[in-house]
Structures are given as structure tokens and as C-alpha cells.
Amino acid sequence: MFEKLKSAKGYPWVVVGLLWVVALLNYMDRQMLSTMQEAMKADIVELQKAEAFGALMAVFLWVYAVLSPFAGMVADRISRKWLIVGSLIVWSAVTLMMGYAQDFKTLYALRAIMGVSEALYIPSALSLIADWHEGKSRSLAVGVHMTGLYVGQAIGGFGAILAAALSWRMTFHWFGIVGVVYGLILILFLHENPKH
């Protein structure tokens, strides 16, 4: 069944659809923290200081920025499928663990790990899309994939609403669980292009 799916004519667009969801989760998970600051302050007092919260946001971006070129080199040498799956499962597990964090140091370390795992995604995903869309559909495929990033960022903005309804801890738990489960689904349905 899975081999038939991979050889189907429309499979290149299945790849875009599968990765669109990953892109959504990627930006949603990184955005949620910024919207839940108020809810988290009550439990983690260090977050009441603006500079501490700024450091928490910055560590992710610094790690992500420094590692992105290296992530591209890794994606040129290792299976993009497994980099994507591994990246998604790791950052989703980090999101899940953030719900258990009791102090600023733990959150800080988890955000740094998230920067490492998320840096691996974009180079791998764009390269895989380019392999499956060799002709005139390549730019459209990349453009469709990119919409997932921005939809995820917008959905991440609702983190504060969920934190108010469930608690910030449960919000991190549920989004983390969704990402891990989706990573397991990708193992079955996401494939490298056999031509490459």
C-alpha cells in the first residue's frame, strides 16, 4: 500500500501536504511561548522580569540562526525523511516537557534544544520538496509549504486562550503530544524520491 502511494502520480503533492502540517507545527510550537508569558509568570517567577523572558526567546533564535547552515550541510548528507521526522519528534517532545518545567533554567535549556531540532527542519523539507517537484511546480510547491509556517504562527497566537482555558502546562502537553503522534504518521507516509 505504502509503495503504491509513493509511486502515485500525485504523490509529490502528498509530500507538500504532509510537510505543510509539519511547518504549521514548527511555527506554532515556537510562537506559543510568547503568547503564554502572563499565564506562566505565576508559576515561574523569573519570567516576571522582561530581560529573563527576552533571554528565553533569544536563546532559541541564536541557536537556530547559528545551526541553520550546518543543518543544510547535514540535510545534504543524511536522509531528509529521517531528519524531518527526528526533528519533529524532538521539538514536540521538548514542547511536551516545557509543560513540566518548574524553573527558568529548565525552560532555557529546553528552548535551546528546540532551536537545535527546529533548525534541521527547513533545509531538509525544502530539499525534499525540490526533489519531488522537479519541473514547473517547484516554486508553487515551496510557496504552498511556506503558508504552513504562517498559519502555524497565527495558531500559536491562540496559546494564551488555551492557557486560560486549560492551563499553560496542559497547552504545552497537548501540542507536544500532537507533534509526536504526527511524527509517527510521517514514518509511514513520507518518502524520499527514489530518483535521488
Side-chain angles (χ1 to χ4, degrees):
M1 174 189 163
F2 300 124
E3 286 303 314
K4 284 183 181 178
L5 177 67
K6 185 168 61 170
S7 60
K9 188 175 181 183
Y11 184 72
W13 288 106
V14 171
V15 169
V16 173
L18 291 169
L19 294 180
W20 188 91
V21 176
V22 183
L24 179 142
L25 292 170
N26 184 295
Y27 268 62
M28 186 178 63
D29 285 352
R30 75 172 70 176
Q31 181 70 17
M32 272 194 324
L33 177 67
S34 65
T35 66
M36 295 196 297
Q37 180 184 7
E38 287 302 315
M40 296 172 73
K41 279 180 184 179
D43 296 326
I44 301 177
V45 292
E46 295 98 330
L47 295 181
Q48 293 174 8
K49 297 178 182 175
E51 59 271 20
F53 194 79
L56 195 58
M57 299 303 288
V59 69
F60 169 85
L61 295 171
W62 278 111
V63 170
Y64 189 98
V66 169
L67 291 182
S68 286
F70 299 104
M73 292 186 328
V74 171
D76 286 337
R77 291 169 174 75
I78 296 176
S79 165
R80 279 87 40 96
K81 170 188 174 167
W82 292 109
L83 281 173
I84 291 165
V85 169
S87 175
L88 171 60
I89 290 174
V90 169
W91 90 60
S92 297
V94 166
T95 300
L96 176 69
M97 294 305 297
M98 286 178 71
Y100 292 107
Q102 299 295 327
D103 56 44
F104 178 79
K105 287 181 182 177
T106 304
L107 281 175
Y108 193 83
L110 288 170
R111 285 293 284 185
I113 294 167
M114 184 178 274
V116 173
S117 62
E118 288 200 8
L120 291 167
Y121 173 67
I122 292 291
S124 303
L126 295 182
S127 176
L128 189 60
I129 289 170
D131 272 1
W132 280 104
H133 289 267
E134 298 175 308
K136 292 184 177 182
S137 65
R138 182 176 287 170
S139 295
L140 176 60
V142 170
V144 169
H145 172 262
M146 296 302 284
T147 66
L149 301 175
Y150 303 111
V151 171
Q153 199 166 13
I155 291 173
F158 291 107
I161 295 168
L162 290 172
L166 301 172
S167 84
W168 67 269
R169 294 186 185 281
M170 287 301 294
T171 302
F172 279 129
H173 292 329
W174 280 110
F175 279 106
I177 289 167
V178 167
V180 170
V181 170
Y182 191 70
L184 299 176
I185 291 169
L186 283 184
I187 291 171
L188 298 174
F189 294 103
L190 186 65
H191 303 287
E192 297 275 353
N193 189 332
K195 292 180 184 176
H196 299 275

